[in-house]
Amino acid sequence: MYRILLLAMFFISLPADAARVKDIAGIFGVRENSVFGYGLVTGLNRTGDSRRNEATIRTLANRLQGLGVTLSTEDIISRNVAVVMVTSRIPSTARPGHQIDVEVSSTGDAKSLEGGILQLTALYASDGRAYASSQGAIVIGGFSAEAGGESTRKNHPNTGRIPRGATVELDNPNRMDITNAPHIDWLINDPDFTTAKRMADAINTALGSNAAKAHDDGMVRMALEKTEDASAIDILAQIEMVE
């Protein structure tokens, strides 16, 4: 019993591991925004959608018609194309011209997207506006093969990625103007009253003022007291490293 008490006292006396503000909280309004699109993948080696997938045939016919080639759905017989959903996340600071990664997943009955090329696809946000456009060669992390009546498969060949496969076309409407903000709200990843109180105290100690105050268990509000020697960015960079 005495040994157990000594062990308990030892663990109680151990100092708690400190965490930086940037590791446990993020700034309200500074976040990624999800975008998605419906596209067409070509160049597949007879592993694309079957003739039963009418959506693929119609999508291909419409795409060709937009290029000046008029074909009916009955004229198209191909296993080298597949319809896919394209998703991505636009960083809060992204501006037109920035390139981001995209994820591609089959929506039909394609066997594999290996070797496929995503044709130009607009990526929309929840407000219905296209904020990026994507295209390029798909990189997949699996494979599927058939021979002699036997087949083998590893991982998921119906999903893939295109590194830097999308270009941002419009500014993020949710981007926050930090330089002119009167205060900053830090959102705690795992809400806790103790964490919020300790975080506010640590920020005030680092700034030498009472600029930060725990608003509730999930948010710490900090007034931005900008001076000629320290901009908002300088202050936030300092606060991010506070333990």
Side-chain angles (χ1 to χ4, degrees):
M1 185 66 179
Y2 179 69
R3 183 180 303 175
I4 295 177
L5 289 175
L6 287 178
L7 190 61
M9 293 176 62
F10 170 76
F11 281 111
I12 291 175
S13 64
L14 286 178
D17 291 333
R20 297 176 301 179
V21 168
K22 65 185 298 183
D23 295 329
I24 64 172
I27 298 176
F28 173 77
V30 180
R31 64 178 182 85
E32 297 179 333
N33 286 268
S34 299
V35 291
F36 71 99
Y38 180 77
L40 191 69
V41 172
T42 59
L44 303 176
N45 187 16
R46 297 191 60 79
T47 59
D49 295 335
S50 68
R51 189 70 174 78
R52 297 188 302 272
N53 195 340
E54 188 175 350
T56 304
I57 304 300
R58 288 184 179 274
T59 301
L60 179 58
N62 292 337
R63 185 64 62 92
L64 292 175
Q65 187 173 5
L67 297 174
V69 180
T70 302
L71 291 174
S72 66
T73 56
E74 288 75 16
D75 296 329
I76 300 176
I77 302 176
S78 174
R79 287 300 306 270
N80 297 343
V81 296
V83 289
V84 294
M85 292 300 297
V86 185
T87 58
S88 186
R89 290 167 294 278
I90 299 180
S92 61
T93 55
R95 289 173 170 79
H98 282 182
Q99 293 182 318
I100 55 178
D101 298 344
V102 298
E103 299 171 349
V104 182
S105 58
S106 172
T107 60
D109 56 358
K111 295 181 180 179
S112 174
L113 298 179
E114 183 179 5
I117 304 294
L118 175 68
Q119 299 303 309
L120 186 61
T121 303
L123 301 181
Y124 299 88
S126 57
D127 61 359
R129 301 180 64 189
Y131 285 90
S133 58
S134 62
Q135 68 177 6
I138 301 174
V139 178
I140 65 174
F143 67 87
S144 178
E146 295 183 4
E150 297 183 357
S151 63
T152 181
R153 177 176 176 174
K154 182 178 180 180
N155 295 335
H156 300 282
N158 296 92
T159 61
R161 294 174 59 85
I162 306 178
R164 299 170 63 84
T167 302
V168 177
E169 304 290 353
L170 295 177
D171 279 327
N172 189 333
N174 298 323
R175 187 170 64 240
M176 180 181 180
D177 186 7
I178 295 178
T179 57
N180 295 320
H183 62 266
I184 292 295
D185 293 335
W186 293 92
L187 301 183
I188 300 174
N189 299 334
D190 297 313
D192 180 82
F193 287 107
T194 302
T195 301
K197 178 63 168 59
R198 289 176 177 174
M199 179 174 164
D201 292 343
I203 292 176
N204 289 333
T205 300
L207 295 178
S209 66
N210 293 319
K213 181 179 181 181
H215 188 268
D216 52 34
D217 64 333
M219 188 182 83
V220 173
R221 174 162 292 180
M222 182 188 75
L224 276 178
E225 302 174 354
K226 299 180 285 293
T227 65
E228 294 182 357
D229 298 327
S231 66
I233 301 301
D234 296 329
I235 296 173
L236 293 178
Q238 176 186 355
I239 297 304
E240 280 188 334
M241 300 305 294
V242 170
E243 294 185 345

